[in-house]
Amino acid sequence: MWSGKKAFSFYVMVFITIGDFVNCEAWNYRYKFFVKESPYTRLCKTKKILTVNGQFPGPTLYAHKGDTIIVDVHNKAKQNITLHWHGVKQQRYPWSDGPEYVTQCPIKPGHKFSQKVIFSAEEGTLWWHAHSTWSRATVHGAIIIYPKTGTSYPFPKPHAEVPIILGEWWKKDVRKVYEGLLATGGEPNVSDAFTINGQPGLLYPCSKRETYKLKVVYGKTYLLRLVNAAMNEVLFFSIAKHNLTVVGADGSYTKQLTNNYIVISPGQTLDCLFHANQKPDHYYMAARAYSSGVNVSFDNTTTTAILHYSDCYATSSSPSFPYLPYYNDTTSAFNFTGRLRSLANEDHPISVPLYLTKRLISTISVNSFPCYPNGTCQGPNGTRLSASMNNISFVNPPRLDVLQAYYYHVHGVYGKRFPSFPPFVFNFTADYLPLNLQTPIHGTEVKFLKYNSMVEMILQGTNLVAGIDHPMHLHGYSFYVVGWGFGNFDKHKDTLNFNLVDPPFLNTVMVPRNGWTAIRFKANNPGVWFMHCHFERHLTWGMDTVFIVKDGKGPGASMLPPPPDMPPC
């Protein structure tokens, strides 16, 4: 599968690990993560980046459905860190979930935290990443969850499985990009490259030799486990002259969806089969941005890798290049995402909430605040950019995380007034909106949910400041995407078209620019759970909130107690 001496040694290591693992029953498995700075060279320049165990991307975690693993996180770096297990529901155990100052205080340099990762219904591909400042740019890796022993995939077993992690690379220190974002009040510097498994590819300078190569055998079927770890861009991805068949998304199986490209937003994972059925040759795999925002900066470069047939043949002078939709091709983006469906069969049933007990509507907006006193800001008309949900720009509490404040009944850390409905009702997607609507309020407001409540949430995009797609992620849950559309949500018309039969079961969903998405879930996981846009700049600006799901009756319906080694605040 991989070519080259160095790649081959990695190939052997991975499959020995998987082989040892697959022979075991469900059990606790322990990993050691050492967070440290390591030198890496990309785009003709060497810099130190934050890594786990010196690897970029970081190590892959393996589990079976229903397993629990322990990850001992040792912070050997010079900055604080937290780690999040993206898409893992952590049933009744938010203590290891990871978002900084939401469910834990950071792991300080020289300290460690043993994080328990509890798998339940998840099966397929998820991922882990840093959840403090912008560290996740280089601190991330895949999570592969196999079926329970004695069961199998709902599709023919592939010849091999390959993690494909899409990312972004800056020549600058990512911390400087983050600090510049805060200091200027404007947009962050766009990345200098996208990457496939850590490598930019042939179209970038000083990158040809290290371009990622995937070696395949003619006639065999392969499972690509795709992760979009990019910081700020939705991505199109395709393989020249090969179709991709989606069989899973966000750790849940889907009906098979075959297409000549896929679109994947930051935070999402897709499991895709492809058949090595073309003339033996070499072919490009490629990814580039989908960005619908008007006057919104984005990285317009293209990352490539090489699909290389192992058979003996005379290669073409250059690999075939795949079809990729144009950067702002919204029709292609949502023609793909709108066709995802849950498997919804006897072996993989679904349970869409039909009788709702809690309805929420939240605007998701890019906003602006006045510039700092005596400052010069680069936002619209000299303002500084911000973001909000229901007009509240979320602020992390400075000294204690929300989870500990809730568990130990510490007052004054957060408020309880996140609105169930937008405080201002207007034509959310109009071309021109009054300037007075652009300024939100700062707050650390949460929404309480009763245990087992049946929740519907409408996420309504707005055209304030800069309308754009938003990949929204909910911790602690997956949810059913029962509907979506462009324009303003109409509860009388749009609900008539909801899919309550086989909607996709996701943990991250892309809300269309100047449009809406409807999600449903059963609040049966007590704890403190973060919801936010997975564009890192929007998270930094405040497009996030917190759900606190109360305990139910009985021990099986209550949040578990904290571990003894929680990082101190």
Side-chain angles (χ1 to χ4, degrees):
M1 291 185 352
W2 286 267
S3 63
K5 183 176 180 182
K6 183 176 180 181
F8 180 73
S9 66
F10 175 71
Y11 168 85
V12 173
M13 180 189 72
V14 167
F15 275 82
I16 288 174
T17 304
I18 295 175
D20 291 344
F21 183 84
V22 170
N23 290 330
C24 299
E25 299 295 330
W27 46 288
N28 287 355
Y29 196 76
R30 201 160 199 130
Y31 290 84
K32 289 189 180 297
F33 275 16
F34 293 93
V35 180
K36 61 181 182 179
E37 287 192 340
S38 304
Y40 269 75
T41 302
R42 298 288 185 272
L43 309 181
C44 317
K45 183 178 179 181
T46 300
K47 68 173 185 176
K48 285 189 174 182
I49 64 171
L50 210 57
T51 66
V52 167
N53 298 351
Q55 300 176 38
F56 169 67
T60 299
L61 299 179
Y62 300 94
H64 282 108
K65 182 179 180 180
D67 279 358
T68 295
I69 65 174
I70 305 294
V71 183
D72 296 315
V73 182
H74 301 258
N75 188 359
K76 301 296 184 182
K78 299 176 182 178
Q79 63 191 80
N80 293 339
I81 197 73
T82 67
L83 294 185
H84 167 56
W85 322 99
H86 185 113
V88 181
K89 296 174 182 63
Q90 297 283 47
Q91 196 66 31
R92 303 168 51 216
Y93 196 75
W95 303 102
S96 285
D97 191 51
E100 187 177 42
Y101 292 111
V102 176
T103 61
Q104 71 170 87
C105 290
I107 308 168
K108 296 179 175 62
H111 292 249
K112 70 168 266 196
F113 179 29
S114 295
Q115 295 190 243
K116 185 186 293 185
V117 185
I118 303 171
F119 298 97
S120 50
E122 306 89 354
E123 192 172 331
T125 306
L126 296 174
W127 66 303
W128 59 266
H129 61 81
H131 216 306
S132 49
T133 60
W134 279 33
S135 301
R136 79 170 178 87
T138 55
V139 180
H140 58 251
I143 303 174
I144 296 175
I145 308 133
Y146 296 107
K148 284 186 175 180
T149 304
T151 64
S152 60
Y153 299 137
F155 48 83
K157 185 178 179 181
H159 175 67
E161 305 178 10
V162 187
I164 298 290
I165 300 178
L166 308 174
E168 282 184 272
W169 184 269
W170 280 263
K171 292 180 181 178
K172 290 178 66 173
D173 186 328
V174 174
R175 286 174 293 187
K176 299 294 184 184
V177 177
Y178 169 73
E179 291 165 1
L181 169 75
L182 298 180
T184 66
E187 293 185 79
N189 294 336
V190 298
S191 53
D192 297 292
F194 294 115
T195 57
I196 297 177
N197 285 351
Q199 294 293 346
L202 291 165
L203 303 183
Y204 298 95
C206 306
S207 301
K208 180 177 180 179
R209 185 176 176 181
E210 289 80 17
T211 294
Y212 176 74
K213 297 177 179 65
L214 173 59
K215 194 173 185 179
V216 298
V217 177
Y218 180 81
K220 300 295 184 180
T221 298
Y222 295 82
L223 176 62
L224 300 185
R225 296 181 175 274
L226 282 147
V227 177
N228 186 350
M231 298 286 278
N232 289 305
E233 306 294 355
V234 181
L235 294 170
F236 290 116
F237 173 86
S238 61
I239 304 175
K241 299 186 179 181
H242 294 74
N243 284 333
L244 293 164
T245 298
V246 179
V247 293
D250 284 1
S252 180
Y253 294 121
T254 65
K255 290 181 170 66
Q256 294 193 10
L257 169 60
T258 300
N259 211 38
N260 61 345
Y261 67 90
I262 60 104
V263 63
I264 183 169
S265 62
Q268 285 191 314
T269 60
L270 291 173
D271 292 323
C272 299
L273 296 172
F274 81 93
H275 304 293
N277 57 3
Q278 296 300 302
K279 172 188 173 183
D281 206 332
H282 52 181
Y283 301 85
Y284 273 127
M285 297 187 281
R288 73 177 179 197
Y290 160 63
S291 181
S292 64
V294 178
N295 298 321
V296 176
S297 301
F298 68 96
D299 183 341
N300 63 2
T301 64
T302 302
T303 180
T304 58
I306 300 293
L307 180 70
H308 178 77
Y309 279 73
S310 62
D311 311 64
C312 294
Y313 57 87
T315 61
S316 305
S317 57
S318 62
S320 299
F321 201 85
Y323 166 74
L324 289 169
Y326 196 63
Y327 301 110
N328 62 354
D329 190 343
T330 296
T331 300
S332 291
F334 284 91
N335 275 349
F336 174 81
T337 61
R339 288 187 289 150
L340 287 174
R341 297 288 185 270
S342 286
L343 199 52
N345 61 19
E346 184 177 351
D347 292 329
H348 300 279
I350 64 172
S351 181
V352 184
L354 300 177
Y355 303 101
L356 303 173
T357 58
K358 187 66 176 179
R359 285 183 168 91
L360 306 169
I361 299 178
S362 177
T363 53
I364 46 177
S365 304
V366 176
N367 305 98
S368 63
F369 282 117
C371 192
Y372 308 106
N374 302 317
T376 301
C377 292
Q378 297 177 4
N381 301 312
T383 62
R384 54 191 172 99
L385 289 166
S386 66
S388 68
M389 296 182 67
N390 268 350
N391 206 50
I392 298 174
S393 186
F394 191 84
V395 179
N396 281 340
R399 291 179 297 276
L400 185 67
D401 60 89
V402 175
L403 174 56
Q404 291 192 66
Y406 169 65
Y407 188 80
Y408 293 112
H409 307 288
V410 179
H411 297 288
V413 175
Y414 60 85
K416 304 177 182 180
R417 297 182 179 179
F418 183 82
S420 297
F421 193 80
F424 303 110
V425 178
F426 53 95
N427 183 357
F428 300 118
T429 59
D431 289 335
Y432 301 101
L433 292 168
L435 291 176
N436 65 309
L437 293 173
Q438 292 186 3
T439 305
I441 61 172
H442 278 125
T444 309
E445 300 294 334
V446 310
K447 172 60 68 178
F448 277 84
L449 297 174
K450 292 181 180 178
Y451 182 78
N452 270 348
S453 55
M454 301 291 189
V455 182
E456 177 180 272
M457 187 174 193
I458 310 298
L459 295 162
Q460 174 68 61
T462 80
N463 203 31
L464 291 170
V465 181
I468 195 169
D469 307 279
H470 298 288
M472 299 300 294
H473 171 50
L474 176 59
H475 292 222
Y477 288 87
S478 289
F479 44 73
Y480 295 101
V481 182
V482 297
W484 64 275
F486 297 103
N488 300 322
F489 173 72
D490 186 324
K491 66 178 181 181
H492 300 293
K493 295 179 181 179
D494 292 325
T495 53
L496 299 177
N497 297 316
F498 278 5
N499 176 9
L500 304 179
V501 177
D502 60 355
F505 193 49
L506 308 177
N507 62 61
T508 305
V509 65
M510 183 166 62
V511 180
R513 174 180 178 261
N514 289 344
W516 58 271
T517 296
I519 66 173
R520 290 185 180 184
F521 62 95
K522 184 178 182 179
N524 58 1
N525 188 10
V528 172
W529 306 110
F530 201 31
M531 186 174 201
H532 62 93
C533 181
H534 227 279
F535 285 150
E536 207 68 14
R537 65 188 189 275
H538 293 174
L539 170 60
T540 302
W541 289 337
M543 192 179 290
D544 33 288
T545 190
V546 173
F547 287 112
I548 297 182
V549 179
K550 297 179 180 179
D551 287 346
K553 295 181 180 180
S558 299
M559 189 170 63
L560 294 168
D565 63 338
M566 282 298 296
C569 292

